[in-house]
Structure formats: C-alpha cells, structure tokens
Amino acid sequence: RHQTALRYERDVEPVAQISGNMYRWEGGGGGDEAVVVSEQHLRWAVWLVTSRVLTVQGEEGTGEAHRLMIPLIDMCNHDRASPHVLTGRAVPGGRLKILAGTNVEAGSQVNIQYGGGVAGNDRFVQDYGFLDTLDGGAAFGMVADALRGGAAGGGGGGGNAAEFGRRAAMSLSDRTAALDALGATTIEEDEAELETATGRDVREALAFRIGVKR
C-alpha cells in the first residue's frame, strides 16, 4: 500500500494535473463525466494484477516469459488438498490448462493449489488477501520454517521440495527483522487485540502473526 501511494504521487497525480485526458476514468464517478483516477483506483488496479497475473513461458527457444491476465482461470479458488492441477506455465511453448485429478461432477467447484502447492500464508495474504486456515497449519508452518531458515518441506508444507527450498530462501537480515517484529508482542497480546480489532486488514495481520507464532 505504501509503495502504491508513492507511485501515485510520483507518476499519476502530477500527470493528471497537467493533462486533460491522461489518467481519467469514464463514468468512474457514477455519472457520464470522466473523473481523475484516485490512489484508491490505482490500489485496486495493482491488487487485480497482483492477485490474477500468471507468469507463463513464451515460445520454445525464445527464452521469454510473459505476465498475463488470463480469463476464467482466476475463477478457480485455492484448496491445498485439491487433486486438480494447473499445468503449462513453466514449459516453453506449453499450453495452459487445468488437469482434472478426479472425476468432476456437473455443477461442482474446481479448485487448484495456488502457488503450485508450495506457497505459504505470507504470499496468500499479500497477493490474494486471504489466509489458508483449512490445511492443518501447513501454510503457516511454511512461513515459520522460512523464518527459521529451516529445511524445505518442513511445517507440513509438502509439495515439491526443490521449489519450496527456493521460495524459503530469506537473507539472515530479513529473517532477523521479521523475527524481531513478531517478538515485539506475545500471542496473548495479539489475541486480545484481535478480539477488539475492527478493520479487515488489521484482523488479517493479527491472525497471520498468531498463526506463524503457533
């Protein structure tokens, strides 16, 4: 959010003030007139891209990778226990598709594992705005293992161990800063604050702290 605010102040607001047609949203105010894009609009756009963009390899031999917003795939919700798999992202020239791991009944929901099954709640809360609390603590355990600099696959994370090892790589200074921040309060203090917190962002942050500490 802080980075988005800086970007708005640096790139959007100055241009919008000197241009009559740049950074305007037709009907953005509910009427027919165009309104100047606000910081809230930019924040929403950044969240849409962050939560929905997939990195997909280009044609074979080009060495290119593309960050794409692909319709329909983002309709699949996350479930670490889902047997269905999103494939084709990491293969040059591959075709992006969802492979069913079991028979799919008409009208049933098709879920996939976000992050290929090796992402933890640090990525989920930052990129998607939710915490995975239905996986037996695996998504919190992966974060805790990364903070401890532990071996890949710890905390019940499962998934591809090599990929988890890459995601878990944190510098000593980053781990120290994160652990110091977590240690500034006790679980009991976090739980007490969670009982009275009202803002969704604050509640998610507190739930994240509590889950990682446990």
Side-chain angles (χ1 to χ4, degrees):
R1 182 175 295 183
H2 177 64
Q3 293 298 322
T4 302
L6 293 177
R7 182 69 180 269
Y8 182 82
E9 294 174 2
R10 184 191 68 191
D11 297 335
V12 177
E13 193 171 31
V15 176
Q17 291 175 349
I18 63 176
S19 171
N21 55 16
M22 288 286 290
Y23 296 115
R24 297 297 193 275
W25 182 10
E26 296 289 343
D32 296 330
E33 294 185 3
V35 298
V36 177
V37 172
S38 66
E39 182 184 329
Q40 182 67 28
H41 294 144
L42 180 59
R43 190 183 305 164
W44 176 248
V46 168
W47 182 80
L48 284 176
V49 172
T50 302
S51 62
R52 286 165 170 77
V53 157
L54 294 174
T55 301
V56 180
Q57 298 301 309
E59 293 299 321
E60 189 172 1
T62 65
E64 296 178 342
H66 308 285
R67 294 177 62 81
L68 307 173
M69 295 184 73
I70 304 172
L72 298 182
I73 287 180
D74 62 2
M75 295 181 67
C76 295
N77 288 323
H78 166 73
D79 181 358
R80 194 179 298 277
S82 173
H84 312 307
V85 181
L86 174 63
T87 67
R89 292 179 56 191
V91 181
R95 302 183 67 179
L96 202 65
K97 53 189 175 183
I98 296 174
L99 296 180
T102 186
N103 292 336
V104 180
E105 300 292 336
S108 62
Q109 186 173 8
V110 175
N111 297 325
I112 59 176
Q113 299 182 42
Y114 285 12
V118 295
N121 270 333
D122 52 342
R123 302 310 310 172
F124 292 155
V125 73
Q126 179 172 314
D127 294 346
Y128 306 111
F130 72 85
L131 294 171
D132 188 344
T133 59
L134 303 176
D135 62 357
F140 285 119
M142 297 170 90
V143 181
D145 279 350
L147 290 174
R148 289 193 296 261
N160 183 294
E163 289 199 24
F164 178 75
R166 287 195 295 271
R167 90 164 277 288
M170 293 180 66
S171 68
L172 177 60
S173 60
D174 285 344
R175 295 205 314 268
T176 300
L179 290 171
D180 286 346
L182 288 170
T185 58
T186 65
I187 291 182
E188 292 73 21
E189 289 171 336
D190 292 338
E191 290 175 334
E193 187 173 353
L194 181 60
E195 290 183 0
T196 59
T198 56
R200 183 178 182 275
D201 289 351
V202 174
R203 292 186 61 82
E204 290 286 357
L206 289 167
F208 176 75
R209 290 174 62 92
I210 294 168
V212 172
K213 290 178 181 181
R214 284 178 174 163

